[in-house]
Amino acid sequence: MDSFIRAVEQVENSNPGLSPLALVRALRRTAGHDDVMTIHFLGASYNLTDAEVLETAILNASSFSFFDKAIHHIVTDYGEERGVVLAPDGTTVALVPLLLGIESGLKAKMEGAPAVGLFPLTLGRTLGLSFLSLKDFPPSFRLGPNGCWDNVERPKLFKLSRPATLATDAVIDGGMDGAILGMDFSNLPASEEPQALSEVLKGYYSFILHEGQGLDAVTRHVSARRREISRSILEPLHLHSQVMETLALVWKLEKTEWIALDTEVGKAVTDGLQAFVHKYWDCPQIIPRCQWGATAHRGTPIPLSLPVQFLYVHHTYQPSSPCLSFPNCSRDMRGMQRFHQEDRGWSDIGYSFVVGSDGYVYEGRGWKHLGTHTRGHNAIGYGVSIIGNYTATLPSRHALDLLRHRLVQCAVDGGWLAANFTTQGHRQVVNYTSCPGDALFSEIRGWEHFRE
């Protein structure tokens, strides 16, 4: 994402006075994204004079090849997803739905009208077609998957964890971001000019959190909050009718007769949206092991007997400071795994999951495998730790909510955690002694809806 933003900034600097709308239209033309639905909502980029002028500028620069490769989205036969970028927060974003959402918002701002086509172009068409094309598969398999980069410092190759659907995680992340930023542009006051595209992308993706405040102090829209913000924007739109209308438009514009004749469209959309809401709105975004740089589990992981009845909440004690960025949280995860494997002699990092103060949950042993987190209780519960020392103070409100509302809801709805589970607070010491006087444990005891 940093490379993409720098390339956009270079074009802006070479074309003083260039409007953000002209820029995103030119990028659309460069990548060849003038399909019938895009033209229906946004017009044809090749008929726009400003886009033609700008494309000439891009063609004369080495950036043309970069934009063409960076934006054009495909999944290869080898499971490589292209047209996606690694964001500074550790998530992966497809650029096509992001830019289409931004263009829709900018067009609405220019015309002084609502952002028509924002949902169909960012998420609606992709979700609808994925639900329908895979209607014979379980709903959870109609979305995703995620993947991992070959190198998070110099990313070049993103490989998916299983065969792709039309709605990979990166496409959905890009769609949510496109809906958020597009809505932001469309809601600008008539008297206010939109910021340069590079500045908007920097503010959304390259934000810096400060210790003692973290996400609690952030009032603007940032990528770490894409799930909660996109939900607040899109859920009131009655997604089922929106997806059905989008599919009807696809049939009309593309003459896709099989959609119109399929009598199970409504059920496919209902089941698919239920899976979408659970995976991308109820559940927090979980950074997979391969993304934070985990080493392999030593030996064969032992499966848990599911669902488990208990959730044990820890703080790491060491590291003692909250982690506020993907690089720092990943470093802390690697340090804890190294300590647990080499000093403690365990097969892996002990925790099932770890909560950072950067807005994300990090995968440890995960949902299915036995952890080493609470002596005598590992086989009957999950161990979740919040990075930092909270003997005297509490984690950020956002980190606590990420655990007690999002991760727990995800676990119960996913069938991993029994609905009548009990939570217990522990601190990270060798014998895992319960410390009811800790500030964190006192806070947990107040979560009445967590307890039997």
Side-chain angles (χ1 to χ4, degrees), residues 24 37 83 90 117 119 128 156 165 174 177 193 206 262-263 278 318 359 376:
V24 291
M37 180 171 281
F119 177 72
K156 292 183 179 180
T165 68
D177 291 347
E193 289 297 318
S206 303
D262 195 323
T263 57
H278 167 70
Q318 291 292 336

Side-chain angles (χ1 to χ4, degrees), residues 287-298:
I287 303 296
R289 292 169 58 90
C290 56
Q291 195 76 346
W292 58 261
T295 60
H297 185 102
R298 294 176 178 175

Side-chain angles (χ1 to χ4, degrees), residues 28-223:
R28 170 157 60 100
R29 184 178 181 189
T30 299
H33 290 141
D34 274 329
D35 57 74
V36 291
M37 180 171 281
T38 303
I39 292 173
H40 174 79
F41 286 115
L42 301 178
S45 63
Y46 49 79
N47 289 334
L48 300 167
T49 303
D50 53 6
E52 292 171 355
V53 171
L54 179 59
E55 189 190 16
T56 302
I58 296 177
L59 277 167
N60 291 337
S62 59
S63 55
F64 174 82
S65 176
F66 171 82
F67 284 128
D68 182 42
K69 292 178 180 177
I71 301 173
H72 188 68
H73 183 267
I74 59 169
V75 176
T76 71
D77 293 340
Y78 302 101
E80 300 169 8
E81 188 172 13
R82 300 176 183 173
V84 300
V85 294
L86 176 64
D89 65 359
T91 60
T92 302
V93 177
L95 290 173
V96 172
L98 167 66
L99 293 174
L100 289 178
I102 290 173
E103 185 176 349
S104 177
L106 287 167
K107 183 173 183 287
K109 158 67 177 168
M110 181 188 71
E111 297 173 351
V116 177
L118 184 64
F119 177 72
L121 291 173
T122 56
L123 287 169
R125 172 174 51 180
T126 299
L127 291 178
L129 292 176
S130 190
F131 298 157
L132 201 56
S133 62
L134 298 173
K135 69 179 188 302
D136 295 329
F137 290 78
S140 60
F141 283 87
R142 302 179 206 176
L143 298 166
N146 201 349
C148 272
W149 290 91
D150 55 341
N151 186 309
V152 295
E153 294 179 356
R154 292 180 177 83
K156 292 183 179 180
L157 178 68
F158 186 71
K159 191 161 186 179
L160 297 172
S161 60
R162 60 176 173 82
T165 68
L166 294 174
T168 64
D169 281 12
V171 168
I172 291 179
D173 280 350
M176 289 189 283
D177 291 347
I180 292 166
L181 295 178
M183 190 66 73
D184 285 350
F185 276 120
S186 69
N187 288 336
L188 284 175
S191 59
E192 186 176 337
E193 289 297 318
Q195 283 184 295
L197 179 60
S198 61
E199 291 303 312
V200 171
L201 295 176
K202 285 178 189 176
Y204 186 75
Y205 290 109
S206 303
F207 55 91
I208 297 175
L209 301 178
H210 300 286
E211 192 167 348
Q213 298 176 314
L215 278 169
D216 290 354
V218 177
T219 56
R220 70 181 189 277
H221 289 168
V222 293
S223 58

